[in-house]
Amino acid sequence: INSAGEWQELPRLDVSKGALRRELETIHHVAAGLDGSAPFMMTIFSPLNIAYKLCGDKLSGEIVVQHLRQAPRELHAGLTVIRDIVIDYAAACLEAGASGIFFATQMATADLMTPQEFQEFGRAYDLPVLDSILGKSRVTMLHLCQQNLLFDLVADYPVDVINWATCD
């Protein structure tokens, strides 16, 4: 936010540098080593899941939920940045040789938020990521963690497989 209280555009993270570059190089080496003999998937976390990990709340997700209730405008701005980076990174993973994407979230649960909150802060950012890899990923798996899933809000995600882990 600038001095006038307006959002200012941040430079976009370059996924071909830093730690993400290291990951992409590893994907390239794994793909070269497998030489097509076996598929492998890269784990990509949902934008809201990344936001909750960035909040430092490694177990519950409650801090990011406090933010979505107390500072929704700011969280939307952050999720937009995260979504765009995740889209770039997913594409780069597939270009580096990953066969598919394992898209994971721990946030699609009524234990953390209402269906309306997940619709606005989860689904709204998940779908652009998943849409961006349609036709590029050989297999896309949605991985859901937690109990009391908001399953009706993720059941129509554009994925090939849904995997559900009932505990962390």
PDB file of all heavy atoms in Angstrom, residues 62-86:
ATOM      1  N   GLU A  62      -5.719 -21.405  11.510  1.00  0.00           N
ATOM      2  CA  GLU A  62      -6.578 -20.406  12.140  1.00  0.00           C
ATOM      3  C   GLU A  62      -6.099 -18.969  11.941  1.00  0.00           C
ATOM      4  O   GLU A  62      -6.926 -18.060  11.860  1.00  0.00           O
ATOM      5  CB  GLU A  62      -6.742 -20.715  13.622  1.00  0.00           C
ATOM      6  CG  GLU A  62      -7.561 -21.973  13.858  1.00  0.00           C
ATOM      7  CD  GLU A  62      -7.671 -22.362  15.309  1.00  0.00           C
ATOM      8  OE1 GLU A  62      -7.227 -21.602  16.185  1.00  0.00           O
ATOM      9  OE2 GLU A  62      -8.226 -23.453  15.570  1.00  0.00           O
ATOM     10  N   ILE A  63      -4.801 -18.737  11.856  1.00  0.00           N
ATOM     11  CA  ILE A  63      -4.310 -17.366  11.694  1.00  0.00           C
ATOM     12  C   ILE A  63      -4.753 -16.784  10.364  1.00  0.00           C
ATOM     13  O   ILE A  63      -5.230 -15.649  10.304  1.00  0.00           O
ATOM     14  CB  ILE A  63      -2.777 -17.298  11.862  1.00  0.00           C
ATOM     15  CG1 ILE A  63      -2.407 -17.621  13.305  1.00  0.00           C
ATOM     16  CG2 ILE A  63      -2.249 -15.920  11.471  1.00  0.00           C
ATOM     17  CD1 ILE A  63      -0.922 -17.741  13.558  1.00  0.00           C
ATOM     18  N   VAL A  64      -4.637 -17.536   9.281  1.00  0.00           N
ATOM     19  CA  VAL A  64      -5.070 -17.007   7.990  1.00  0.00           C
ATOM     20  C   VAL A  64      -6.580 -16.798   7.978  1.00  0.00           C
ATOM     21  O   VAL A  64      -7.079 -15.856   7.355  1.00  0.00           O
ATOM     22  CB  VAL A  64      -4.592 -17.869   6.805  1.00  0.00           C
ATOM     23  CG1 VAL A  64      -5.418 -19.113   6.620  1.00  0.00           C
ATOM     24  CG2 VAL A  64      -4.591 -17.070   5.521  1.00  0.00           C
ATOM     25  N   VAL A  65      -7.330 -17.604   8.700  1.00  0.00           N
ATOM     26  CA  VAL A  65      -8.768 -17.415   8.788  1.00  0.00           C
ATOM     27  C   VAL A  65      -9.076 -16.120   9.549  1.00  0.00           C
ATOM     28  O   VAL A  65      -9.987 -15.376   9.174  1.00  0.00           O
ATOM     29  CB  VAL A  65      -9.466 -18.638   9.419  1.00  0.00           C
ATOM     30  CG1 VAL A  65     -10.939 -18.370   9.681  1.00  0.00           C
ATOM     31  CG2 VAL A  65      -9.296 -19.858   8.515  1.00  0.00           C
ATOM     32  N   GLN A  66      -8.301 -15.809  10.569  1.00  0.00           N
ATOM     33  CA  GLN A  66      -8.468 -14.518  11.259  1.00  0.00           C
ATOM     34  C   GLN A  66      -8.234 -13.370  10.280  1.00  0.00           C
ATOM     35  O   GLN A  66      -8.995 -12.399  10.274  1.00  0.00           O
ATOM     36  CB  GLN A  66      -7.488 -14.398  12.422  1.00  0.00           C
ATOM     37  CG  GLN A  66      -7.802 -15.284  13.595  1.00  0.00           C
ATOM     38  CD  GLN A  66      -6.697 -15.249  14.648  1.00  0.00           C
ATOM     39  OE1 GLN A  66      -5.743 -14.482  14.563  1.00  0.00           O
ATOM     40  NE2 GLN A  66      -6.825 -16.108  15.642  1.00  0.00           N
ATOM     41  N   HIS A  67      -7.219 -13.508   9.443  1.00  0.00           N
ATOM     42  CA  HIS A  67      -6.935 -12.462   8.454  1.00  0.00           C
ATOM     43  C   HIS A  67      -8.075 -12.313   7.449  1.00  0.00           C
ATOM     44  O   HIS A  67      -8.432 -11.195   7.081  1.00  0.00           O
ATOM     45  CB  HIS A  67      -5.624 -12.740   7.716  1.00  0.00           C
ATOM     46  CG  HIS A  67      -4.409 -12.589   8.557  1.00  0.00           C
ATOM     47  ND1 HIS A  67      -4.098 -11.438   9.236  1.00  0.00           N
ATOM     48  CD2 HIS A  67      -3.404 -13.454   8.828  1.00  0.00           C
ATOM     49  CE1 HIS A  67      -2.961 -11.581   9.897  1.00  0.00           C
ATOM     50  NE2 HIS A  67      -2.529 -12.813   9.676  1.00  0.00           N
ATOM     51  N   LEU A  68      -8.641 -13.415   6.995  1.00  0.00           N
ATOM     52  CA  LEU A  68      -9.709 -13.297   5.992  1.00  0.00           C
ATOM     53  C   LEU A  68     -10.943 -12.635   6.585  1.00  0.00           C
ATOM     54  O   LEU A  68     -11.705 -11.988   5.875  1.00  0.00           O
ATOM     55  CB  LEU A  68     -10.020 -14.629   5.312  1.00  0.00           C
ATOM     56  CG  LEU A  68     -10.756 -15.752   6.023  1.00  0.00           C
ATOM     57  CD1 LEU A  68     -12.263 -15.563   5.990  1.00  0.00           C
ATOM     58  CD2 LEU A  68     -10.405 -17.063   5.345  1.00  0.00           C
ATOM     59  N   ARG A  69     -11.110 -12.754   7.884  1.00  0.00           N
ATOM     60  CA  ARG A  69     -12.263 -12.112   8.529  1.00  0.00           C
ATOM     61  C   ARG A  69     -11.977 -10.667   8.926  1.00  0.00           C
ATOM     62  O   ARG A  69     -12.869  -9.827   8.891  1.00  0.00           O
ATOM     63  CB  ARG A  69     -12.687 -12.926   9.748  1.00  0.00           C
ATOM     64  CG  ARG A  69     -13.269 -14.264   9.339  1.00  0.00           C
ATOM     65  CD  ARG A  69     -13.643 -15.153  10.497  1.00  0.00           C
ATOM     66  NE  ARG A  69     -14.167 -16.419   9.976  1.00  0.00           N
ATOM     67  CZ  ARG A  69     -14.119 -17.555  10.641  1.00  0.00           C
ATOM     68  NH1 ARG A  69     -13.609 -17.603  11.862  1.00  0.00           N
ATOM     69  NH2 ARG A  69     -14.609 -18.650  10.093  1.00  0.00           N
ATOM     70  N   GLN A  70     -10.730 -10.375   9.299  1.00  0.00           N
ATOM     71  CA  GLN A  70     -10.395  -9.038   9.787  1.00  0.00           C
ATOM     72  C   GLN A  70      -9.798  -8.129   8.717  1.00  0.00           C
ATOM     73  O   GLN A  70      -9.897  -6.906   8.825  1.00  0.00           O
ATOM     74  CB  GLN A  70      -9.425  -9.152  10.967  1.00  0.00           C
ATOM     75  CG  GLN A  70     -10.028  -9.853  12.154  1.00  0.00           C
ATOM     76  CD  GLN A  70      -9.012 -10.193  13.228  1.00  0.00           C
ATOM     77  OE1 GLN A  70      -7.837  -9.903  13.121  1.00  0.00           O
ATOM     78  NE2 GLN A  70      -9.488 -10.828  14.285  1.00  0.00           N
ATOM     79  N   ALA A  71      -9.163  -8.701   7.709  1.00  0.00           N
ATOM     80  CA  ALA A  71      -8.507  -7.904   6.667  1.00  0.00           C
ATOM     81  C   ALA A  71      -8.692  -8.562   5.304  1.00  0.00           C
ATOM     82  O   ALA A  71      -7.719  -8.925   4.638  1.00  0.00           O
ATOM     83  CB  ALA A  71      -7.021  -7.743   7.003  1.00  0.00           C
ATOM     84  N   PRO A  72      -9.937  -8.739   4.866  1.00  0.00           N
ATOM     85  CA  PRO A  72     -10.178  -9.470   3.619  1.00  0.00           C
ATOM     86  C   PRO A  72      -9.541  -8.822   2.395  1.00  0.00           C
ATOM     87  O   PRO A  72      -9.044  -9.528   1.518  1.00  0.00           O
ATOM     88  CB  PRO A  72     -11.702  -9.508   3.509  1.00  0.00           C
ATOM     89  CG  PRO A  72     -12.190  -8.411   4.385  1.00  0.00           C
ATOM     90  CD  PRO A  72     -11.177  -8.277   5.479  1.00  0.00           C
ATOM     91  N   ARG A  73      -9.544  -7.514   2.333  1.00  0.00           N
ATOM     92  CA  ARG A  73      -8.960  -6.808   1.178  1.00  0.00           C
ATOM     93  C   ARG A  73      -7.468  -7.124   1.045  1.00  0.00           C
ATOM     94  O   ARG A  73      -6.970  -7.421  -0.037  1.00  0.00           O
ATOM     95  CB  ARG A  73      -9.189  -5.308   1.338  1.00  0.00           C
ATOM     96  CG  ARG A  73      -8.674  -4.477   0.207  1.00  0.00           C
ATOM     97  CD  ARG A  73      -9.089  -3.019   0.409  1.00  0.00           C
ATOM     98  NE  ARG A  73      -8.450  -2.187  -0.569  1.00  0.00           N
ATOM     99  CZ  ARG A  73      -7.686  -1.152  -0.284  1.00  0.00           C
ATOM    100  NH1 ARG A  73      -7.465  -0.800   0.972  1.00  0.00           N
ATOM    101  NH2 ARG A  73      -7.119  -0.444  -1.228  1.00  0.00           N
ATOM    102  N   GLU A  74      -6.782  -7.087   2.160  1.00  0.00           N
ATOM    103  CA  GLU A  74      -5.351  -7.362   2.150  1.00  0.00           C
ATOM    104  C   GLU A  74      -5.066  -8.822   1.814  1.00  0.00           C
ATOM    105  O   GLU A  74      -4.132  -9.128   1.084  1.00  0.00           O
ATOM    106  CB  GLU A  74      -4.722  -6.985   3.505  1.00  0.00           C
ATOM    107  CG  GLU A  74      -4.700  -5.508   3.780  1.00  0.00           C
ATOM    108  CD  GLU A  74      -6.019  -4.919   4.317  1.00  0.00           C
ATOM    109  OE1 GLU A  74      -7.019  -5.649   4.455  1.00  0.00           O
ATOM    110  OE2 GLU A  74      -6.030  -3.707   4.601  1.00  0.00           O
ATOM    111  N   LEU A  75      -5.893  -9.720   2.348  1.00  0.00           N
ATOM    112  CA  LEU A  75      -5.688 -11.135   2.037  1.00  0.00           C
ATOM    113  C   LEU A  75      -5.950 -11.406   0.558  1.00  0.00           C
ATOM    114  O   LEU A  75      -5.213 -12.149  -0.077  1.00  0.00           O
ATOM    115  CB  LEU A  75      -6.547 -12.039   2.915  1.00  0.00           C
ATOM    116  CG  LEU A  75      -6.321 -13.535   2.710  1.00  0.00           C
ATOM    117  CD1 LEU A  75      -4.862 -13.922   2.962  1.00  0.00           C
ATOM    118  CD2 LEU A  75      -7.238 -14.351   3.601  1.00  0.00           C
ATOM    119  N   HIS A  76      -6.982 -10.784  -0.004  1.00  0.00           N
ATOM    120  CA  HIS A  76      -7.229 -10.941  -1.446  1.00  0.00           C
ATOM    121  C   HIS A  76      -6.019 -10.475  -2.257  1.00  0.00           C
ATOM    122  O   HIS A  76      -5.642 -11.132  -3.233  1.00  0.00           O
ATOM    123  CB  HIS A  76      -8.473 -10.169  -1.884  1.00  0.00           C
ATOM    124  CG  HIS A  76      -9.753 -10.890  -1.657  1.00  0.00           C
ATOM    125  ND1 HIS A  76     -10.054 -12.103  -2.244  1.00  0.00           N
ATOM    126  CD2 HIS A  76     -10.837 -10.572  -0.891  1.00  0.00           C
ATOM    127  CE1 HIS A  76     -11.255 -12.499  -1.859  1.00  0.00           C
ATOM    128  NE2 HIS A  76     -11.750 -11.593  -1.034  1.00  0.00           N
ATOM    129  N   ALA A  77      -5.433  -9.367  -1.860  1.00  0.00           N
ATOM    130  CA  ALA A  77      -4.256  -8.870  -2.583  1.00  0.00           C
ATOM    131  C   ALA A  77      -3.114  -9.880  -2.508  1.00  0.00           C
ATOM    132  O   ALA A  77      -2.453 -10.167  -3.514  1.00  0.00           O
ATOM    133  CB  ALA A  77      -3.810  -7.519  -2.018  1.00  0.00           C
ATOM    134  N   GLY A  78      -2.880 -10.426  -1.332  1.00  0.00           N
ATOM    135  CA  GLY A  78      -1.835 -11.430  -1.179  1.00  0.00           C
ATOM    136  C   GLY A  78      -2.128 -12.699  -1.945  1.00  0.00           C
ATOM    137  O   GLY A  78      -1.240 -13.275  -2.587  1.00  0.00           O
ATOM    138  N   LEU A  79      -3.373 -13.154  -1.900  1.00  0.00           N
ATOM    139  CA  LEU A  79      -3.748 -14.374  -2.621  1.00  0.00           C
ATOM    140  C   LEU A  79      -3.617 -14.204  -4.127  1.00  0.00           C
ATOM    141  O   LEU A  79      -3.288 -15.157  -4.836  1.00  0.00           O
ATOM    142  CB  LEU A  79      -5.172 -14.805  -2.249  1.00  0.00           C
ATOM    143  CG  LEU A  79      -5.338 -15.403  -0.853  1.00  0.00           C
ATOM    144  CD1 LEU A  79      -6.816 -15.572  -0.514  1.00  0.00           C
ATOM    145  CD2 LEU A  79      -4.589 -16.717  -0.721  1.00  0.00           C
ATOM    146  N   THR A  80      -3.849 -13.012  -4.623  1.00  0.00           N
ATOM    147  CA  THR A  80      -3.684 -12.754  -6.053  1.00  0.00           C
ATOM    148  C   THR A  80      -2.225 -12.928  -6.458  1.00  0.00           C
ATOM    149  O   THR A  80      -1.922 -13.563  -7.475  1.00  0.00           O
ATOM    150  CB  THR A  80      -4.184 -11.333  -6.401  1.00  0.00           C
ATOM    151  OG1 THR A  80      -5.584 -11.272  -6.099  1.00  0.00           O
ATOM    152  CG2 THR A  80      -3.964 -11.008  -7.864  1.00  0.00           C
ATOM    153  N   VAL A  81      -1.324 -12.401  -5.653  1.00  0.00           N
ATOM    154  CA  VAL A  81       0.112 -12.556  -5.925  1.00  0.00           C
ATOM    155  C   VAL A  81       0.499 -14.033  -5.856  1.00  0.00           C
ATOM    156  O   VAL A  81       1.178 -14.553  -6.744  1.00  0.00           O
ATOM    157  CB  VAL A  81       0.953 -11.713  -4.929  1.00  0.00           C
ATOM    158  CG1 VAL A  81       2.438 -12.026  -5.060  1.00  0.00           C
ATOM    159  CG2 VAL A  81       0.692 -10.219  -5.143  1.00  0.00           C
ATOM    160  N   ILE A  82       0.052 -14.716  -4.805  1.00  0.00           N
ATOM    161  CA  ILE A  82       0.378 -16.133  -4.645  1.00  0.00           C
ATOM    162  C   ILE A  82      -0.192 -16.944  -5.807  1.00  0.00           C
ATOM    163  O   ILE A  82       0.495 -17.791  -6.382  1.00  0.00           O
ATOM    164  CB  ILE A  82      -0.141 -16.665  -3.290  1.00  0.00           C
ATOM    165  CG1 ILE A  82       0.607 -15.989  -2.132  1.00  0.00           C
ATOM    166  CG2 ILE A  82       0.010 -18.184  -3.217  1.00  0.00           C
ATOM    167  CD1 ILE A  82      -0.014 -16.233  -0.768  1.00  0.00           C
ATOM    168  N   ARG A  83      -1.450 -16.695  -6.167  1.00  0.00           N
ATOM    169  CA  ARG A  83      -2.077 -17.422  -7.285  1.00  0.00           C
ATOM    170  C   ARG A  83      -1.250 -17.299  -8.562  1.00  0.00           C
ATOM    171  O   ARG A  83      -0.987 -18.281  -9.249  1.00  0.00           O
ATOM    172  CB  ARG A  83      -3.486 -16.875  -7.533  1.00  0.00           C
ATOM    173  CG  ARG A  83      -4.195 -17.528  -8.719  1.00  0.00           C
ATOM    174  CD  ARG A  83      -5.264 -16.635  -9.316  1.00  0.00           C
ATOM    175  NE  ARG A  83      -4.690 -15.402  -9.793  1.00  0.00           N
ATOM    176  CZ  ARG A  83      -5.341 -14.226  -9.799  1.00  0.00           C
ATOM    177  NH1 ARG A  83      -6.573 -14.138  -9.333  1.00  0.00           N
ATOM    178  NH2 ARG A  83      -4.746 -13.143 -10.255  1.00  0.00           N
ATOM    179  N   ASP A  84      -0.812 -16.090  -8.875  1.00  0.00           N
ATOM    180  CA  ASP A  84      -0.055 -15.877 -10.106  1.00  0.00           C
ATOM    181  C   ASP A  84       1.282 -16.614 -10.092  1.00  0.00           C
ATOM    182  O   ASP A  84       1.694 -17.191 -11.097  1.00  0.00           O
ATOM    183  CB  ASP A  84       0.155 -14.384 -10.341  1.00  0.00           C
ATOM    184  CG  ASP A  84      -1.141 -13.653 -10.645  1.00  0.00           C
ATOM    185  OD1 ASP A  84      -2.166 -14.321 -10.920  1.00  0.00           O
ATOM    186  OD2 ASP A  84      -1.140 -12.406 -10.599  1.00  0.00           O
ATOM    187  N   ILE A  85       1.923 -16.640  -8.940  1.00  0.00           N
ATOM    188  CA  ILE A  85       3.192 -17.364  -8.812  1.00  0.00           C
ATOM    189  C   ILE A  85       2.950 -18.871  -8.934  1.00  0.00           C
ATOM    190  O   ILE A  85       3.714 -19.580  -9.593  1.00  0.00           O
ATOM    191  CB  ILE A  85       3.886 -17.018  -7.475  1.00  0.00           C
ATOM    192  CG1 ILE A  85       4.319 -15.555  -7.484  1.00  0.00           C
ATOM    193  CG2 ILE A  85       5.065 -17.943  -7.210  1.00  0.00           C
ATOM    194  CD1 ILE A  85       4.673 -15.009  -6.116  1.00  0.00           C
ATOM    195  N   VAL A  86       1.883 -19.364  -8.306  1.00  0.00           N
ATOM    196  CA  VAL A  86       1.571 -20.793  -8.377  1.00  0.00           C
ATOM    197  C   VAL A  86       1.267 -21.197  -9.826  1.00  0.00           C
ATOM    198  O   VAL A  86       1.696 -22.263 -10.278  1.00  0.00           O
ATOM    199  CB  VAL A  86       0.415 -21.167  -7.423  1.00  0.00           C
ATOM    200  CG1 VAL A  86      -0.043 -22.599  -7.635  1.00  0.00           C
ATOM    201  CG2 VAL A  86       0.846 -20.958  -5.971  1.00  0.00           C
TER     202      VAL A  86
END
